[in-house]
Amino acid sequence: MLARGSLMAAAALATLLAGCVRTPMPKLDQHLPAQWRHAAAASRPPVDLHRWWQAFHDPMLDRLVDEALENNLDVAIARQHLRAERALYGSRNAPVAPNLRARTDDPIDPDAESSYFVVGFDATWELGLFGRTKALDRIATSHVLQARTTLREARVSLVAEVVRETIALRSAQSSERSLERVLQARQRQAALTRRRVALRLSDRMDQTQADAAVATARAALAQPRMQADHAAQRLALLLGRSEPDPAWLKPGPQPRLGPTGPVAAPASLLRTRPGIAHAEANVLEAAGELGIARADLYPRIGFGASLLWSTKIATYRRDPGTNAIGTVGPILDIPLFDWGMRVSHEHAQSHRLQAAALAYRKAVLTGAAEVEDALGDLQQQREREQAEAQAVADWKQTVDAQRVRRRLGLSSDLDTVNAQIQHAEAELSLIAARQDRDLAYVALYKALGGAPPLPARDDRVNTARPERK
């Protein structure tokens, strides 16, 4: 009775001590400014972060994004990694869970007079005291959250890349059309110059320069054609296709970004930007590793039992029969001579946890900086686009004025052609400005973590959320 009471008292004391060993989560610095420095006017509602590309009002772009989210291989790979971590999460407490195994052996007597065949069962159960169970749960949870965040990050990057490549494709096609107008105008210019040379109103040098300008304009057409082909091929890869859809290569209008409202408050980054969520999961994992290191400083306490049957299979003595023996009792594993190594490991894990907390802070600041840069770039690109659009309008008026002057006999056909060339080149600059403005918009919503929410099959929660202090 005394031994049983002592055992219960020891177990109660161990449980009490285990409850005193805790590894609290560090306080994560989530401070962000109250508003963006380059905040847009609030005359319109904010853009939907989950469908931000719809601001381009392009049905083809909407279809491409939906197809990419369904068929992209990087997203599919990330989804399988998430499912693997969810499958492993179910066995997170295996190291401290009851364990039963069967085994056989065929030992030989030391005096070589007998040999035996042994069959037995061993059962162990470590109690997971001193924070070990909590640490194991934190590590497994962090792995699931990391995989989930990787999937979110893949979807955010995918949407941004699909929009970028669509913009590049349509911008290249628009540039090709403007360059074709430049080539036609250069050819008209060369023909007029040739006539002036025949009339001895210009010299051969003017004809040579006009012919060179035609060759240069024709050569310039190769660049947008290559860009369109490359963009279509990259789109096919993003959509999991072996080759582009021929319909993509048919000329289409350049995406036109409509008026957009203000961006959500900076604090929204904490729940939308995958990089911040990934850093938070890393903190959780580091806290779990520290918990394991601290638990290793204390004895491992558990229970064990075994049941063995043995029978002689060869003997030189007449001693037939089968023997059975069973044992049950506590298991105590106390660190002694490697104490210094365990202490050093605990100190190292403590520093790694601090580093993870600092990395989280860096991820928050990096996210805020990228959004601020994107907002500033978008603002500047909008102003550039407005200036280029004004230049196009001014050159259009110049072309119209030259045509009127030509009808009145106040200018030549060559003056009108020169104005048309300037107008087409101004259109090229406007196309480039719109493309850069659109890409700045894409960079903004990639920095914000904009993408459709995860499907229910990937977003179901079967793990604890990261702990917060």
Side-chain angles (χ1 to χ4, degrees), residues 245-266:
D245 187 337
W248 301 344
L249 297 176
K250 294 180 180 179
Q254 186 179 20
R256 298 293 298 273
L257 181 63
T260 58
V263 174

Side-chain angles (χ1 to χ4, degrees), residues 153-214:
E153 192 168 23
R155 289 167 62 86
V156 169
S157 296
L158 172 63
V159 171
E161 290 304 314
V162 170
V163 178
R164 281 174 179 166
E165 297 304 335
T166 304
I167 291 171
L169 173 65
R170 292 308 189 206
S171 297
Q173 291 172 342
S174 297
S175 295
E176 182 181 358
R177 291 193 294 272
S178 292
L179 285 172
E180 287 173 345
R181 288 193 290 272
V182 171
L183 176 59
Q184 293 171 1
R186 289 294 185 187
Q187 291 171 335
R188 175 66 175 161
Q189 183 185 54
L192 291 173
T193 303
R194 191 176 298 110
R195 184 182 305 171
R196 289 176 62 86
V197 170
L199 296 174
R200 300 183 182 277
L201 299 176
S202 297
D203 56 26
R204 293 286 181 182
M205 182 64 68
D206 294 334
Q207 181 64 57
T208 301
Q209 291 176 349
D211 291 341
V214 171

Side-chain angles (χ1 to χ4, degrees), residues 433-445:
R434 283 175 176 165
Q435 180 178 4
D436 291 343
R437 186 276 319 271
D438 293 346
L439 293 180
Y441 179 80
V442 174
L444 170 61
Y445 278 90

Side-chain angles (χ1 to χ4, degrees), residues 379-449:
Q379 179 178 340
Q380 294 299 321
Q381 293 296 346
R382 279 174 174 160
E383 294 176 1
R384 174 191 168 197
E385 180 198 11
Q386 292 172 358
E388 297 288 0
Q390 184 60 50
V392 169
D394 291 343
W395 278 112
K396 179 65 170 59
Q397 291 182 358
T398 301
V399 171
D400 294 340
Q402 285 292 350
R403 287 171 176 163
V404 172
R405 290 171 59 86
R406 178 70 186 90
R407 287 197 298 270
L408 297 176
L410 300 177
S411 66
S412 65
D413 288 336
L414 194 58
D415 293 331
T416 302
V417 170
N418 289 335
Q420 290 173 341
I421 292 173
Q422 294 296 329
H423 178 237
E425 290 178 345
E427 286 183 332
L428 284 171
S429 297
L430 177 58
I431 291 170
R434 283 175 176 165
Q435 180 178 4
D436 291 343
R437 186 276 319 271
D438 293 346
L439 293 180
Y441 179 80
V442 174
L444 170 61
Y445 278 90
K446 182 180 180 182
L448 289 168

Side-chain angles (χ1 to χ4, degrees), residues 208-225:
T208 301
Q209 291 176 349
D211 291 341
V214 171
T216 300
R218 183 176 289 110
L221 284 169
Q223 187 65 25
R225 289 169 180 170

Side-chain angles (χ1 to χ4, degrees), residues 180-426:
E180 287 173 345
R181 288 193 290 272
V182 171
L183 176 59
Q184 293 171 1
R186 289 294 185 187
Q187 291 171 335
R188 175 66 175 161
Q189 183 185 54
L192 291 173
T193 303
R194 191 176 298 110
R195 184 182 305 171
R196 289 176 62 86
V197 170
L199 296 174
R200 300 183 182 277
L201 299 176
S202 297
D203 56 26
R204 293 286 181 182
M205 182 64 68
D206 294 334
Q207 181 64 57
T208 301
Q209 291 176 349
D211 291 341
V214 171
T216 300
R218 183 176 289 110
L221 284 169
Q223 187 65 25
R225 289 169 180 170
M226 289 189 299
Q227 291 174 346
D229 286 340
H230 293 172
Q233 191 62 57
R234 288 192 291 267
L235 271 175
L237 178 60
L238 291 170
L239 271 64
R241 296 188 180 192
S242 59
E243 59 183 4
D245 187 337
W248 301 344
L249 297 176
K250 294 180 180 179
Q254 186 179 20
R256 298 293 298 273
L257 181 63
T260 58
V263 174
S268 64
L269 282 178
L270 299 176
R271 66 177 184 275
T272 62
R273 186 175 168 89
I276 296 177
H278 205 284
E280 188 174 7
N282 289 340
V283 173
L284 186 64
E285 181 180 18
E289 296 290 353
L290 176 58
I292 294 292
R294 287 181 175 173
D296 286 342
L297 298 176
Y298 297 90
R300 291 194 172 194
I301 301 173
F303 298 98
S306 64
L307 183 61
L308 300 177
W309 290 271
S310 65
T311 183
K312 290 182 180 181
I313 58 175
T315 182
Y316 295 99
R317 295 181 180 178
R318 297 183 60 82
D319 186 17
T322 300
N323 301 310
I325 185 171
T327 61
V328 62
I331 298 175
L332 188 62
D333 182 1
I334 303 176
L336 293 176
F337 293 104
D338 60 348
W339 175 263
M341 181 188 70
R342 294 174 185 249
V343 171
S344 298
H345 185 61
E346 189 269 343
H347 288 168
Q349 293 297 342
S350 178
H351 290 300
R352 290 192 178 105
L353 177 57
Q354 295 177 40
L358 293 172
Y360 174 85
R361 178 57 181 163
K362 180 182 177 182
V364 172
L365 295 179
T366 300
E370 288 186 7
V371 173
E372 281 288 7
D373 288 344
L375 282 168
D377 292 347
L378 182 59
Q379 179 178 340
Q380 294 299 321
Q381 293 296 346
R382 279 174 174 160
E383 294 176 1
R384 174 191 168 197
E385 180 198 11
Q386 292 172 358
E388 297 288 0
Q390 184 60 50
V392 169
D394 291 343
W395 278 112
K396 179 65 170 59
Q397 291 182 358
T398 301
V399 171
D400 294 340
Q402 285 292 350
R403 287 171 176 163
V404 172
R405 290 171 59 86
R406 178 70 186 90
R407 287 197 298 270
L408 297 176
L410 300 177
S411 66
S412 65
D413 288 336
L414 194 58
D415 293 331
T416 302
V417 170
N418 289 335
Q420 290 173 341
I421 292 173
Q422 294 296 329
H423 178 237
E425 290 178 345

